[in-house]
Amino acid sequence: MTDRITGMLGLILALAYGIAGSGFHSDFITDNLGPTVFPIMLAVALGIFCLYLLIRPDPNPDWGSWPIWRNQLIAVVAMVLYATVLETLGFLLSTSLLVGFLSFMLGGPRWPAVATGVGASVVLYFLFNFGLGLPLPTGSLFGG
């Protein structure tokens, strides 16, 4: 029953996401596909997986223990905080903190988790800013 409830909620989310994503318009993007393709592709993929949950649910779902739920809740709170401070701290610092924290939370040693956070944020910054030409926030805290 829980898979069917999850599948139905996910299907509603996919439909809402697809409708919202189909309304994206941009005057400066010259791509033939436009800005609506990626959200619609995600909505279709989510809808397919949720339909699978509705059609073939797990007969004995395992809900997991409290530590698993606690870690998932902490991760969601960390991502909400990331979205909140992204404009203020900038992409490099906020992404370094988020990826480092999540790496540490998943059981990584402290210094490799910090290095992963810094490395991932620098690579993603160069990829998006210079490779794809998508400017990322530098942060109002640092005069950006």
Side-chain angles (χ1 to χ4, degrees):
M1 187 65 178
T2 57
D3 282 353
R4 288 198 170 115
I5 292 171
T6 303
M8 185 56 69
L9 291 175
L11 201 57
I12 292 169
L13 177 66
L15 183 64
Y17 189 72
I19 291 170
S22 67
F24 290 160
H25 297 287
S26 177
D27 295 333
F28 64 89
I29 294 180
T30 58
D31 185 13
N32 292 335
L33 298 176
T36 63
V37 173
F38 186 69
I40 290 175
M41 285 178 10
L42 288 178
V44 168
L46 178 62
I48 289 170
F49 291 128
C50 290
L51 281 174
Y52 179 80
L53 283 176
L54 286 171
I55 295 169
R56 297 197 47 143
D58 185 8
N60 298 318
D62 181 20
W63 278 82
S65 61
W66 166 245
I68 294 171
W69 283 94
R70 183 193 66 223
N71 287 344
Q72 290 179 1
L73 181 64
I74 290 170
V76 168
V77 168
M79 287 185 257
V80 169
L81 285 173
Y82 171 78
T84 305
V85 301
L86 181 63
E87 292 287 328
T88 306
L89 296 181
F91 180 81
L92 285 171
L93 181 59
S94 57
T95 303
S96 294
L97 291 172
L98 176 71
V99 173
F101 174 73
L102 292 177
S103 298
F104 181 71
M105 197 177 85
L106 288 171
R110 181 176 299 139
W111 291 114
V114 170
T116 300
V118 171
S121 67
V122 169
V123 167
L124 288 172
Y125 181 79
F126 278 102
L127 175 71
F128 281 100
N129 207 28
F130 300 112
L132 299 174
L134 300 171
L136 296 171
T138 55
S140 59
L141 186 66
F142 304 109

